[in-house]
Structures are given as structure tokens and as C-alpha cells.
Amino acid sequence: MARESTLRHKADPTTSETAEQLLLAAAALMTERNTIDVPVADVAARAGLNAALVNYYFRTKTGLHIALVRRDAAQSVAEMQRLLATDLPPAEKMRRHLTGIIRTFYRCPYLYRLMRALMRDADSKAARELSEFFSRPVVETQKAIIAEGVATGAFRPIDPMMFHLCAIGACDHLFAESSTLRYTFGVTEIDQDLCNRYAETAVDILMNGFLAKSA
């Protein structure tokens, strides 16, 4: 490699069982506490490991966070690549793509908040890395499906950037508004049924916004 990645240190966290234990612990604590502000000491304690191992594998707390986003995003990016390779109609591709994003945020409810925090400084190396391995593939997938839909007459023309901003905001909103759910709607837990209902509703609203009238 031309230059060392921010995730590389004395050992390779992508191939280490110990590093994976730390990532699993971080994910579990962020989910349970509904916050990304989890101390490194707590992560190590949950994993049953020495806190110094976080520094050994990830160098910093930010390095741990980047590794967690990379691990969680990998499955979604692979699913997007498989989806684009199918012969499904554009509308069905987009429905599956949007549903997949919502299910990713259900599986990893901290993911989008963690990405926003890491990308706050747009000029940082972390922001560039995150954009390359997650944000850019999501945008390119949406652009490709939109272009195919417009070409076939299934979609009306729409600005891919505007669609992306609306879509990602909608996909994450259920998981970012836990206080509203609790105090306004009396919902104390986001379970699989609620996730499915939200996905169906959000995807229908988004899709109906840019389907061609004939579709």
C-alpha cells in the first residue's frame, strides 16, 4: 500500500479476533445506551480485555469508530453491488435499496450518528475514507437506479443529490428520534415489526415522490 491507512497500526484489526471482540463490544454498548459516546474503558470491560488493546489495534478512539463503521458498512455495500447486478425493474431495485438502508440502521442504530460525527470535519482523512467506502457507493447506487428508471420511463427526472439527502434522512429518522417515540407515541423499543412498518411507509412515500405517473 502506498500509505498506511488510519486503521493500520501494530496489528491488522480486520483479521484479528481480539479486534473483532472490541468492535462487537462497542456496537453493543452504543446500541444499549443509545449514544455513540461510549468510553474506551467500557468497551474493553465489555469485551473482557485490557483497554490498552484499543490503542494496539486502532491507535485511537476515532480509529475504533472508523473500523466499526467500515465493518458495518461492508455488508450493505456488498448488498448494493449484488442488487445493481440483478435484472429487476428500477422501481423494485430502488425499493429494495431503500429498505436495505433502513434495515442496516435497524441492525446498527448508531451507524449514521457515528458517521456524521466522524465526517463533521469535511477536510479530515476520516471524512474522506468514510465517503469512499460508504457514502460514495450509496450515492452511485442511487444514481445508477435513477438513471435506469428515467431511461425506461419508470421515474420522472430527479436531482440525485436531493434524492440522496431526503432518502438518507428518512431512513435514519426512526432511529434518531427515540425521545419523540418514547414521549410522544409511547414507544419504548424499536423492534423488528416497527422497523418493517417504518420501512414500508418511508419507502412508499419516497417512491411515490418520483415515480412517473404512468408507473
Side-chain angles (χ1 to χ4, degrees):
M1 295 178 67
R3 59 190 178 88
E4 189 178 60
S5 166
T6 52
L7 299 186
R8 300 293 189 262
H9 190 36
K10 300 175 184 176
D12 184 351
T14 63
T15 59
S16 166
E17 291 184 8
T18 301
E20 179 64 16
Q21 285 179 270
L22 291 167
L23 293 175
L24 287 171
L29 289 172
M30 289 180 187
T31 300
E32 291 169 11
R33 299 179 182 180
N34 192 30
T35 179
I36 61 173
D37 188 20
V38 176
V40 167
D42 291 3
V43 173
R46 169 60 69 91
L49 297 169
N50 191 303
L53 288 170
V54 173
N55 178 67
Y56 179 77
Y57 285 105
F58 305 107
R59 184 176 298 180
T60 63
K61 185 177 181 179
T62 297
L64 172 69
H65 288 172
I66 295 174
L68 182 59
V69 172
R70 183 184 288 275
R71 189 204 66 163
D72 292 340
Q75 179 179 339
S76 293
V77 171
E79 289 171 353
M80 285 186 283
Q81 292 171 341
R82 288 193 293 268
L83 180 62
L84 284 178
T86 68
D87 295 326
L88 292 169
E92 182 60 23
K93 282 184 181 178
M94 187 62 82
R95 285 184 181 277
R96 295 192 183 195
H97 167 66
L98 295 172
T99 300
I101 293 177
I102 292 172
R103 288 177 176 164
T104 295
F105 290 154
Y106 171 71
R107 187 177 71 248
C108 312
Y110 52 82
L111 181 58
Y112 195 50
R113 278 174 287 171
L114 192 55
M115 289 185 63
R116 285 203 305 266
L118 290 168
M119 297 177 74
R120 191 168 291 127
D121 179 1
D123 294 325
S124 71
K125 186 177 179 181
R128 292 195 298 273
E129 284 195 13
L130 290 169
S131 294
E132 285 300 318
F133 71 72
F134 186 69
S135 299
R136 188 180 298 278
V138 171
V139 169
E140 293 304 321
T141 296
Q142 292 170 355
K143 281 184 177 179
I145 298 174
I146 289 172
E148 183 182 356
V150 172
T152 60
F155 300 162
R156 65 179 178 83
I158 189 169
D159 184 332
M161 183 176 75
M162 294 298 106
F163 175 79
H164 174 73
L165 295 174
C166 292
I168 294 299
C171 289
D172 175 62
H173 197 68
L174 174 67
F175 313 100
E177 294 298 323
S178 58
S179 58
T180 299
L181 288 172
R182 178 183 294 271
Y183 301 118
T184 305
F185 297 103
V187 176
T188 58
E189 179 186 3
I190 300 174
D191 57 16
Q192 185 71 60
D193 178 64
L194 178 58
C195 175
N196 290 340
R197 286 165 51 209
Y198 183 76
E200 182 179 356
T201 303
V203 171
D204 277 346
I205 290 172
L206 287 166
M207 293 295 297
N208 287 327
F210 74 111
L211 284 173
K213 288 185 178 180
S214 59

